[in-house]
Amino acid sequence: MKRLGIHARIMISAFLLIIATAFTLDLLGMIITKRFMHSRFKDRISFLARYLALNSEVGVLIGDKTGLKSLALNLLGEEDVARVMILDNHDNQLVDLERPVQGPLSWVETPVVFKRTHDENLLFSAVRSTPFGPQKIEAVDSIGKVRIQFSTHSVDRFLVVITKQFALFSAGLTLIAAVVFFFVSRSIVVDVTRLVETAQQVERGDMDLRAKPGNLPETAQLALAMNAMLDSLERNRDVLKKVNQEVVRQKTLAERGKFSMMIAHEVKNPLSIIKSSLDIMKKDRQIPDDDLMAAYIEDEVRRLNALIEGFLAFARPANPVFRTVDLNALVKDIVGRFEVQYTNCPLRFERRIPAGPCQAMADADLLARAFSNILKNAAEANGEDGAIQVDVRIEGESWIMTIADQGEGIEPELMEKIFEPFFTTRTKGTGLGLAFTRQVIEAHEGTVTARSGETGDGAEFVVRLPIGEVDKLSK
């Protein structure tokens, strides 16, 4: 029984219960029917006995055995009557007739009475007291008795037939109830089995699978609860995955920052010595400023110094010093500086910045460096030609800046990597500009995202900063 499934257990239990109920009802029904049939049969024989006693009154009084025998023979012709006896009041047998009959035998006895009329002698009358005075009653004397022996064989045989029919009927009802219960229990078990199979598949790793609501309200609610639990687990799993990824990223950034600072400090001092030595050598040996080799050395020293500064800037945590800043004015100033820087180039800066101020709590220096990195990348993507669009708008409690270039765009497989430290597609890049930009924007509780159209349609960077409850005006 322990290894049987829920369906088998329900079916066995229900079948045994149905059989026990049918057997009990059958037994009780037969007991009641048997008592009822025997009682009615005995009442019938008693009625025949009373009828014979009534007709035997005169015969008993005059001792007419021939007439009494005729009456007894008529009664003896009744089915199940085995013996008829008529006796006088001294128990002398006047008639005794019998015939063989099968089955158990029983006796019924009825007195033969003599009734007097009102006109007879008052000595034979009786008087009874009533609320309305004394009243005469008929005097009744027993002058003999009638005994009838009968058999219950036909009744018992009829009960056997009824018992068989009732048993067949009960068996049929039991079978029908078992079939109905089988399909009812099967519908319940099918829903439960599906839920078990779903749980097993989820256990094997199929976290996207969801349980189908069953036909019953209870199993449907269980399926919905199970699906809600799986949705919650999936959300928690996604959150945990993101947290783990962020922990790994922060750990990686910390390790890279330590390494960058170590390298920067180890290289910066020798680089300073090289720069100082070059300046002294140019002065002592009177090397002209247009000397090609000296120019190469100075360019490489400046490039290495810029690289070291980038390492140091990224390695240091971006801890902004917040103060009230006009973001619109800040972007206008940065774009203006780039316009001056690229005056001799065909590169154009098309800006749509609201004329009014938009004030927010921010670190102007860090944001200026972050925005400059995006504009610098856009200018390099354009090849210092074409146009760079700078759009600023306000949506609700957010200040949004979009910088779009006309370069070759960003490959889809590289879109997730461009903000990672040390990732670059250029031979002279350090891969720290956009990483530093994201670090600064996230320190301001903002976001920076990139999107790219088809190849040749350029790239677009979107910076979103919260401006909260600070007063903001835009025209």
Side-chain angles (χ1 to χ4, degrees):
M1 191 71 175
K2 293 182 178 179
R3 296 185 178 181
L4 294 177
I6 183 173
H7 194 196
R9 294 187 181 188
I10 292 176
M11 284 301 303
I12 292 175
S13 301
F15 193 70
L16 293 177
L17 179 61
I18 293 173
I19 291 177
T21 303
F23 178 78
T24 303
L25 292 177
D26 191 5
L27 182 62
L28 290 176
M30 291 311 303
I31 291 175
I32 295 173
T33 303
K34 184 176 181 180
R35 289 180 178 178
F36 175 78
M37 292 294 294
H38 277 272
S39 175
R40 293 300 299 270
F41 188 76
K42 186 174 182 181
D43 290 343
R44 174 177 171 271
I45 300 299
S46 298
F47 173 78
L48 293 176
R50 289 193 300 273
Y51 179 78
L52 178 61
L54 181 64
N55 293 325
S56 301
E57 177 183 357
V58 176
V60 172
L61 283 174
I62 64 176
D64 184 8
K65 294 183 178 182
T66 303
L68 294 175
K69 184 177 181 181
S70 177
L71 293 174
L73 284 174
N74 290 333
L75 184 59
L76 196 64
E78 291 288 333
E79 186 180 4
D80 297 322
V81 176
R83 186 177 181 182
V84 177
M85 297 178 64
I86 302 177
L87 297 89
D88 59 16
N89 56 351
H90 300 293
D91 290 337
N92 296 320
Q93 292 184 358
L94 299 178
V95 175
D96 185 5
L97 301 177
E98 63 179 333
R99 66 186 180 90
V101 176
Q102 294 180 354
L105 301 176
S106 299
W107 284 95
V108 170
E109 182 177 302
T110 301
V112 178
V113 297
F114 175 72
K115 298 179 181 178
R116 294 184 175 86
T117 63
H118 295 290
D119 297 332
E120 294 187 22
N121 196 322
L122 291 177
L123 295 175
F124 297 95
S125 301
V127 179
R128 65 179 178 182
S129 297
T130 66
F132 305 99
Q135 291 183 351
K136 290 184 179 180
I137 59 173
E138 291 183 347
V140 179
D141 293 330
S142 175
I143 60 175
K145 62 185 69 173
V146 173
R147 292 178 180 174
I148 299 177
Q149 189 179 38
F150 63 94
S151 171
T152 60
H153 176 69
S154 60
V155 176
D156 293 337
R157 186 176 56 192
F158 181 69
L159 288 175
V160 170
V161 175
I162 293 178
T163 302
K164 291 180 179 179
Q165 293 179 352
F166 195 82
L168 291 176
F169 182 72
S170 299
L173 287 180
T174 301
L175 182 60
I176 294 173
V179 173
V180 172
F181 193 82
F182 171 79
F183 287 104
V184 172
S185 62
R186 185 173 178 271
S187 64
I188 300 174
V189 173
V190 166
D191 293 341
V192 175
T193 303
R194 288 177 181 173
L195 293 175
V196 172
E197 292 176 352
T198 301
Q200 290 175 346
Q201 294 183 22
V202 170
E203 182 183 5
R204 288 193 290 267
D206 190 1
M207 299 298 295
D208 295 330
L209 185 65
R210 294 295 180 269
K212 296 181 180 180
N215 298 323
L216 300 176
E218 292 78 6
T219 55
Q221 292 178 359
L222 182 59
L224 294 176
M226 183 176 179
N227 291 338
M229 179 187 68
L230 291 175
D231 292 339
S232 178
L233 289 175
E234 185 175 5
R235 288 192 299 268
N236 294 335
R237 183 186 62 178
D238 294 339
V239 171
L240 182 60
K241 183 178 179 181
K242 291 180 180 179
V243 170
N244 290 335
Q245 290 176 348
E246 183 63 23
V247 170
V248 172
R249 190 178 74 87
Q250 294 294 337
K251 185 176 180 181
T252 303
L253 291 178
E255 295 297 331
R256 289 177 178 178
K258 292 179 181 179
F259 177 75
S260 300
M261 291 191 67
M262 181 184 68
I263 295 299
H265 284 295
E266 292 296 328
V267 175
K268 193 172 183 63
N269 290 334
L271 191 62
S272 299
I273 295 175
I274 293 173
K275 181 65 171 66
S276 301
S277 300
L278 178 61
D279 292 339
I280 293 172
M281 186 175 63
K282 287 174 62 178
K283 182 177 180 181
D284 292 344
R285 297 189 180 184
Q286 297 179 354
I287 299 174
D289 294 335
D290 57 353
D291 185 81
L292 185 59
M293 298 303 296
Y296 283 163
I297 295 174
E298 288 182 341
D299 287 343
E300 291 301 323
V301 168
R302 282 194 295 270
R303 190 176 70 83
L304 287 173
N305 188 64
L307 181 62
I308 292 171
E309 292 296 332
F311 283 161
L312 291 175
F314 178 76
R316 299 190 192 100
N319 295 322
V321 179
F322 292 98
R323 61 180 182 276
T324 303
V325 177
D326 185 356
L327 298 178
N328 292 344
L330 178 63
V331 175
K332 290 178 184 178
D333 181 66
I334 296 172
V335 174
R337 292 175 183 272
F338 271 84
E339 288 176 338
V340 173
Q341 182 179 350
Y342 291 94
T343 301
N344 298 326
C345 298
L347 182 64
R348 306 186 314 278
F349 289 87
E350 299 176 357
R351 50 183 174 176
R352 288 189 290 271
I353 304 173
C358 179
Q359 297 179 344
M361 299 300 295
D363 189 318
D365 295 334
L366 290 177
L367 287 181
R369 292 172 60 185
F371 296 164
S372 297
N373 286 337
I374 300 176
L375 287 170
K376 181 181 178 182
N377 282 354
E380 292 176 354
N382 272 30
E384 299 183 358
D385 193 4
I388 296 176
Q389 295 181 354
V390 181
D391 296 331
V392 174
R393 68 184 185 278
I394 295 176
E395 292 182 359
E397 300 296 327
S398 298
W399 178 87
I400 302 173
M401 178 183 67
T402 303
I403 299 176
D405 61 52
Q406 296 177 338
E408 296 181 356
I410 304 172
E411 297 293 335
E413 61 271 12
L414 303 180
M415 192 66 67
E416 298 295 330
K417 299 180 180 180
I418 59 175
F419 291 103
E420 294 181 1
F422 306 106
F423 176 81
T424 181
T425 57
R426 300 184 180 91
T427 57
K428 294 184 179 181
T430 63
L432 295 174
L434 292 179
F436 175 78
T437 298
R438 184 172 69 172
Q439 190 181 62
V440 171
I441 299 302
E442 290 180 350
H444 284 76
E445 297 183 356
T447 60
V448 55
T449 57
R451 57 175 176 257
S452 178
E454 300 294 334
T455 302
D457 290 344
E460 188 176 84
F461 288 82
V462 180
V463 176
R464 184 184 295 267
L465 292 174
I467 53 179
E469 300 300 327
V470 178
D471 184 34
K472 52 186 181 299
L473 298 173
S474 60
K475 296 181 180 178

